[in-house]
């Protein structure tokens, strides 16, 4: 080594600067690791109460990409709103990223609080008191509640920014004669961020002034020296932030219960650290330190156990419901099952969880119409439980018809209605669903079939045209072909009608063909117009008369037809019987009953019996049984209806009912031979023989 270069100075092993830095790093490591170890399990906590309202009820769970644009649904706190929306979007709808952000924010707060306590105590060489104070804050039970609820994120962010502001403020005012203006400006920025995170942090300048006045000197005394410039700047920043928040409409009320508890934990950290420093005597301080360590260990264990119900809330809620029945607890349990099903990747497990949620909901008798019911109904619908979804979502159809909930409600209701009894209602549901979304191929087929049943060929053909090249032999292919043929036939009728009306305007056949065309297309009002023109020209025109009767009966106006055009046909005329049969084929049973009544005489079967026979010809055995029951009730002294009911019960394999109806027939003096034959048949004849001979007497009446 050259002589003119001196060796670098060596730091002795007992260098207090190096030792202090090492102890400082060790203390920081402890302050960081303890909250991570105690609260690590909260990273896997599912949604809790307020989070369901925030993320699940507003559909952000299914659509995380909308979180950034749906800031009005998030808490009234600008900074926390941006944080929640950003992390929810970044995680693709995963809670773990939000939980991680909350936990790291809390750990950062504990680290900064450690630095705040060091500056406040004015003893840079002392790390025990600041470390114990920061750890006391980190293991407090209030931290568990704050970390497990996103609604408390404004508090966590506000506390973190407030701690940073406190460090910078105490650093800026550390020397009375020389203010660190850079640190003071940074403290002002941190104060503004704290107010943006939680409006309650507007009181931070008061806390900072108290900390500045109560900070200790090297001799262990209160400094009590004002820093007017720094105080004034903090108060001005707070007033400006308050004005901005006021005009932006922010709330100045605490958002969640953990708010005061978390602030009390911070105050407890300052109290414990200050007491440890101010206690007289080393031995007393050591005893108090040991007491604090024991207290912190107990607090850590208690906080860890307190977090378990948040991590796995279902067993805890079940136990609470077993102890006391509470609809709110039951709703929360249902929501937790739904949220668990949403996170589940296995289809079988997800369906099992949704079934459990549905069973829990059905156990309660309140039948409440709330967000829990809506969310359950939507998920049950997606899982394929259509009937249950229809009963859950039906109350929401009138409240939100053009939303996703209304769409699912209309589809579920349309799928669960009977095509024979409520075709118009089904068509209305599908028409409403069309305005909100698209229909599946199965729904298109069902919609088209209902329209055909209602006679609306035009719209049926339009619906089937939406199906992309269905196989010709499939149901969709056949219906598509039939509806197209009906539509083409309607157009041919229209061409023929126009030609006939052009050749001879007085000829009613042109108007009749035009009416048939409109009926094929489902335009009943236009058909009525054309038929009325035809009947005015020729009141006894058979096709016009029959079509008018059919049209009015399907509209529930058979009485009007009888009053206006019934006089052209006499009582008992076969045209009435044919009209009744045609009307029954269109399921206008009450109108068919009125027309059949115009045909019946004392020598013919009753109108109800005729409709029962029509139903049998259409192979609608249940409808036939209903009409024969009405015949027996309307004409209790006639045995024919009782015999027919006995035959139907035999075919339906209901021997007890068949014997009862035969007893009633005997009471009405039915022929003994007929009764005996039917009794033998109901007691032991094979099904083939019963099916071929069951309705001979009834059919003979129609002959």
């Amino acid at each position: 080594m050259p002589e003119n270069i001196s060796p670098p100075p060596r730091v002795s092993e007992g260098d207090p600067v190096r030792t202090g830095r090492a102890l400082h790093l060790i203390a920081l490591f402890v302050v960081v690791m303890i909250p991570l170890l105690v609260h690590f399990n909260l990273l896997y906590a599912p949604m809790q109460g307020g989070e369901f309202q925030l993320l699940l009820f507003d559909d952000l769970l299914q659509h995380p990409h909308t979180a950034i644009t749906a800031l009005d649904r998030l808490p009234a706190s600008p900074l926390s709103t941006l944080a929640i929306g950003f992390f929810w979007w970044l995680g693709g709808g995963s809670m773990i990223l939000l939980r991680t952000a909350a936990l790291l924010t809390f750990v950062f707060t504990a680290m900064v609080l450690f630095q705040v306590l060091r500056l406040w105590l004015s003893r840079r060489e002392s790390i025990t008191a600041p470390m114990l104070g920061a750890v006391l804050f980190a293991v407090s039970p209030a931290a568990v509640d704050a970390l497990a609820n996103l609604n408390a994120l404004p508090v966590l962010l506000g506390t973190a920014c407030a701690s940073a502001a406190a460090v910078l403020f105490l650093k800026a005012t550390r020397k009375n004669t020389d203010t660190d203006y850079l640190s003071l400006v940074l403290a002002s920025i941190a104060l503004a961020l704290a107010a943006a995170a939680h409006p309650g942090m507007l009181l931070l300048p008061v806390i900072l002034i108290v900390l500045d006045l109560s900070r200790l000197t090297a001799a262990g005394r209160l400094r009590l020296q004002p820093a007017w410039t720094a105080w004034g700047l903090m108060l001005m920043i707070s007033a400006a932030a308050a004005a901005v928040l006021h005009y932006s409409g922010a709330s100045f009320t605490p958002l969640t219960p953990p708010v005061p508890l978390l602030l009390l934990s911070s105050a407890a950290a300052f109290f414990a650290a200050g007491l440890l420093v101010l206690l007289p005597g080393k031995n007393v301080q050591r005893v108090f330190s040991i007491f604090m360590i024991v207290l912190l260990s107990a607090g850590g264990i208690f906080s860890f156990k307190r977090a378990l119900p948040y991590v796995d809330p279902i067993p805890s809620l079940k136990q609470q419901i077993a102890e006391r029945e509470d609809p709110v607890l039951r709703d929360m349990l249902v929501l937790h099952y739904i949220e668990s099903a949403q996170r589940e990747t296995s289809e079988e497990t997800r369906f099992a969880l949704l079934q459990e949620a549905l069973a829990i909901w059905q156990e309660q008798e309140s039948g409440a119409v709330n967000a829990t019911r809506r969310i359950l109904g939507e998920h049950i619908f997606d899982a394929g439980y259509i009937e249950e979804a229809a009963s859950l979502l039906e109350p929401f159809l009138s409240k939100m018809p053009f939303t996703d909930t209304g769409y699912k409600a209309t589809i579920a209701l349309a799928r669960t209605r009977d095509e024979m009894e409520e075709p118009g209602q089904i068509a209305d549901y599908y028409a409403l669903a069309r305005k909100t979304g698209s229909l599946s191929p199965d729904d298109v087929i069902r919609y088209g079939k209902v329209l055909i049943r209602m006679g609306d060929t035009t719209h049926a053909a339009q619906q089937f045209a939406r199906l992309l090249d269905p196989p010709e032999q499939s149901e969709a292919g056949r219906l598509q072909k039939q509806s197209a043929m009906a539509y083409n036939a309607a157009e041919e009728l229209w061409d023929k009608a126009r030609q006939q009306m052009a050749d001879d305007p007085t000829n009613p056949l042109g108007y009749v063909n035009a009416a048939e065309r409109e009926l094929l297309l489902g335009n009943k009002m236009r058909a009525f117009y054309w038929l009325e023109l035809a009947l005015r020209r020729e009141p006894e025109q058979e096709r016009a008369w029959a079509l008018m009767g059919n049209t009015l009966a399907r509209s529930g106006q058979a009485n009007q037809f009888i009053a206006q055009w019934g006089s052209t046909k006499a009582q008992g005329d076969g045209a009435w019987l044919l009209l009744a049969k045609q009307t029954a084929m269109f399921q206008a049973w009450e109108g068919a009953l009125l027309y059949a009544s115009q045909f019946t005489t004392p020598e013919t079967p009753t109108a109800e019996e005729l409709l029962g026979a029509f139903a049998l010809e259409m192979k609608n055995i249940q409808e036939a049984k209903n009409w024969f029951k009405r015949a027996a009730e309307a004409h209790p002294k006639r045995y024919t209806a009782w015999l027919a009911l006995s035959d139907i019960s035999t075919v339906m394999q209901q021997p007890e009912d068949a014997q009862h109806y035969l007893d009633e027939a005997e009471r009405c003096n039915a022929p003994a031979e007929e009764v005996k034959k039917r009794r033998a048949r109901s007691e032991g004849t094979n099904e083939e023989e019963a099916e071929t001979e069951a309705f001979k007497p009834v059919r003979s009446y129609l002959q």
Side-chain angles (χ1 to χ4, degrees):
M1 178 179 297
E3 296 181 359
N4 59 344
I5 300 178
S6 61
R10 296 181 179 179
V11 181
S12 64
E13 295 181 359
D15 189 350
V17 176
R18 185 173 181 179
T19 303
R21 289 176 179 174
L23 291 175
H24 180 258
L25 291 176
I26 292 173
L28 274 180
F29 179 78
V30 171
V31 170
V32 169
M33 292 306 299
I34 286 181
L36 285 177
L37 293 174
V38 172
H39 305 302
F40 182 80
N41 56 348
L42 286 173
L43 292 177
Y44 304 97
M47 290 186 183
Q48 308 300 322
E51 295 164 356
F52 288 121
Q53 180 68 41
L54 183 64
L55 300 174
L56 186 62
F57 290 171
D58 290 323
D59 297 331
L60 296 183
L61 182 65
Q62 288 87 358
H63 309 289
H65 60 277
T66 63
I68 296 296
T69 60
L71 300 182
D72 57 318
R73 305 180 186 180
L74 304 177
S77 168
L79 188 60
S80 59
T81 292
L82 292 172
I84 293 175
F86 174 74
F87 286 115
W88 182 253
W89 166 78
L90 189 63
S94 173
M95 288 299 298
I96 190 168
L97 194 58
L98 284 167
R99 300 289 188 219
T100 303
L103 181 57
L104 293 180
T105 301
F106 182 74
V107 171
F108 172 78
T109 304
M111 291 173 56
V112 176
L113 185 63
F114 171 75
Q115 301 294 343
V116 172
L117 289 171
R118 290 192 69 199
L119 289 173
W120 180 64
L121 294 174
S122 299
R123 295 187 179 184
R124 297 181 60 84
E125 73 281 358
S126 174
I127 57 100
T128 303
M131 182 183 67
L132 291 178
V135 172
L136 178 63
F137 169 79
V139 300
S140 65
V144 177
D145 297 329
L147 291 171
N149 291 278
L150 279 183
N151 282 347
L153 187 60
V155 185
L156 291 174
L157 290 174
T159 306
C161 294
S163 301
V167 166
L168 294 167
F169 179 80
L170 292 178
K171 183 180 178 181
T173 59
R174 181 170 51 188
K175 299 178 181 179
N176 294 331
T177 58
D178 187 13
T179 303
D180 186 350
Y181 289 100
L182 177 60
S183 298
L184 191 59
V185 171
L186 294 176
S188 302
I189 296 174
L191 171 60
L193 291 175
H198 190 280
M201 296 302 169
L202 291 172
L203 298 176
L204 181 60
V206 177
I207 299 174
L208 295 179
I209 292 172
V210 172
L211 288 177
D212 190 34
L213 286 173
S214 61
R215 65 197 307 176
L216 299 177
T217 62
R221 297 177 182 178
L222 296 179
R223 195 171 68 169
L224 296 177
Q225 293 181 355
W228 299 110
T229 303
W231 293 4
L233 181 59
M234 291 293 104
L235 291 173
M236 288 174 58
I237 295 296
S238 178
V244 172
L245 291 174
H246 174 72
Y247 287 107
S248 65
S251 172
F252 286 81
T253 58
L255 299 180
T256 52
V259 174
L261 298 179
L262 200 62
L263 295 179
L264 286 176
S265 301
S266 304
F270 279 92
F271 176 79
L275 187 62
L276 182 60
V277 170
L278 295 176
L279 283 174
K282 295 292 184 181
N283 292 330
V284 177
Q285 291 180 356
R286 291 192 183 98
V287 171
F288 185 74
S289 299
I290 295 173
F291 171 76
M292 284 291 298
I293 293 172
V294 173
L295 181 64
L296 294 176
S297 301
I301 295 173
F302 179 78
S303 295
F304 183 82
K305 290 185 176 180
R306 184 179 175 82
L308 294 179
Y310 288 110
V311 178
D312 189 9
I314 291 178
S316 175
L317 286 171
K318 284 185 174 180
Q319 182 178 358
Q320 294 180 57
I321 292 173
E323 295 173 355
R324 61 183 180 92
E325 182 60 37
D326 188 346
V328 176
L329 293 176
R330 192 173 289 276
D331 281 1
M332 293 302 301
L333 184 57
V334 169
L335 291 172
H336 278 296
Y337 270 112
I338 294 173
E339 199 265 349
S340 299
Q342 186 72 20
R343 290 185 286 110
E344 186 59 51
T345 56
S346 169
E347 292 286 337
E348 183 178 352
T349 306
R350 180 160 66 248
F351 288 166
L353 291 170
L354 289 175
Q355 285 179 331
E356 188 70 22
L358 181 62
I360 293 170
W361 174 267
Q362 291 173 341
E363 287 176 3
Q364 63 182 0
E365 301 177 357
S366 62
V369 181
N370 53 20
T372 303
R373 177 171 181 164
R374 176 173 64 84
I375 293 297
L376 177 61
E378 291 182 1
H379 283 78
I380 288 294
F381 175 88
D382 294 336
Y385 301 101
I386 303 301
E387 292 186 5
E388 293 82 357
S391 63
L392 289 170
L393 295 176
E394 186 173 9
F396 297 99
L397 182 56
S398 58
K399 297 182 178 180
M400 45 183 67
F402 300 110
T403 62
D404 187 57
T405 302
Y407 169 77
K408 292 179 179 179
T410 52
I411 294 296
L413 291 168
R415 291 178 183 176
T416 53
R417 292 296 187 266
D418 192 293
E419 289 185 22
M420 302 289 291
E421 297 181 358
E422 302 176 279
Q425 190 70 47
I426 296 174
D428 290 341
Y429 284 140
Y430 277 130
L432 180 59
R434 272 275 185 225
K435 298 177 181 179
T436 310
S438 59
L439 301 183
S440 67
D442 291 339
D443 288 319
V444 170
I445 294 173
R446 182 176 171 84
Y447 188 17
K449 289 167 63 177
V450 167
L451 292 173
I452 290 175
R453 182 176 297 279
M454 297 171 61
D456 192 350
T457 310
T458 302
H459 287 94
Q462 291 175 356
Q463 296 305 318
F464 290 128
R466 297 174 185 269
L467 300 175
L468 300 177
D469 299 327
E472 291 186 4
Q473 301 303 320
S474 65
E475 182 184 22
R478 292 195 303 270
L479 289 171
Q480 188 181 63
K481 184 177 180 180
Q482 292 171 7
S483 61
M485 290 174 61
Y487 182 78
N488 293 332
E491 293 306 309
E492 290 177 5
L493 281 171
W494 179 238
D495 293 338
K496 184 178 179 181
R498 285 192 302 178
Q499 185 63 41
Q500 288 173 333
M501 286 186 282
D503 294 342
D504 185 4
T506 62
N507 185 0
L509 290 178
Y511 304 108
V512 174
N513 286 327
E516 284 189 299
R517 183 253 187 185
E518 298 300 338
L519 287 174
L520 277 175
L521 299 180
N523 301 323
K524 296 179 183 178
M525 290 301 296
R526 292 183 182 180
F528 174 81
Y529 167 76
W530 290 115
L531 290 172
E532 190 173 36
L533 289 177
L535 289 173
R536 284 181 179 177
R537 283 161 175 75
E538 189 177 335
E540 296 185 2
Q541 217 286 331
E542 293 292 338
R543 284 174 60 197
W545 185 85
L547 287 173
M548 179 65 84
N550 198 316
T551 302
L552 291 178
R554 288 161 64 185
S555 301
Q557 298 175 322
N559 277 323
Q560 179 181 340
F561 173 77
I562 294 172
Q564 190 166 357
W565 287 287
S567 59
T568 59
K569 306 295 179 184
Q571 180 78 23
D573 193 317
W576 287 111
L577 181 62
L578 183 60
L579 178 58
K581 184 175 181 179
Q582 292 173 348
T583 305
M585 291 179 65
F586 282 98
Q587 307 300 312
W589 292 100
E590 294 302 326
L593 177 64
L594 293 174
Y595 296 153
S597 300
Q598 300 299 311
F599 168 76
T600 57
T601 63
E603 293 77 24
T604 63
T606 64
E608 292 83 3
E609 290 174 336
L610 290 173
L611 264 62
F614 297 154
L616 287 174
E617 289 187 17
M618 290 183 281
K619 298 182 181 180
N620 190 346
I621 194 169
Q622 185 59 50
E623 188 70 31
K625 187 174 183 179
N626 294 337
W627 280 110
F628 281 119
K629 282 184 177 180
R630 288 182 62 171
E633 294 171 359
H635 309 280
K637 295 182 179 181
R638 294 175 63 103
Y639 64 82
T640 51
W642 296 114
L643 291 177
L645 285 169
S646 172
D647 292 337
I648 292 174
S649 298
T650 300
V651 173
M652 297 177 70
Q653 299 182 4
Q654 299 171 347
E656 294 182 0
D657 290 347
Q659 294 296 331
H660 167 70
Y661 294 139
L662 288 175
D663 293 340
E664 293 293 333
E666 280 186 323
R667 184 180 59 80
C668 297
N669 300 320
E673 182 182 353
E674 296 289 336
V675 174
K676 181 179 179 181
K677 181 172 61 175
R678 284 168 172 77
R679 284 195 188 279
R681 185 181 297 145
S682 66
E683 290 173 357
T685 306
N686 61 53
E687 293 181 11
E688 259 186 49
E689 184 181 349
E691 206 169 326
T692 56
E693 298 183 6
F695 304 109
K696 274 187 178 179
V698 178
R699 288 174 181 170
S700 65
Y701 300 146
L702 297 179
Q703 295 169 357

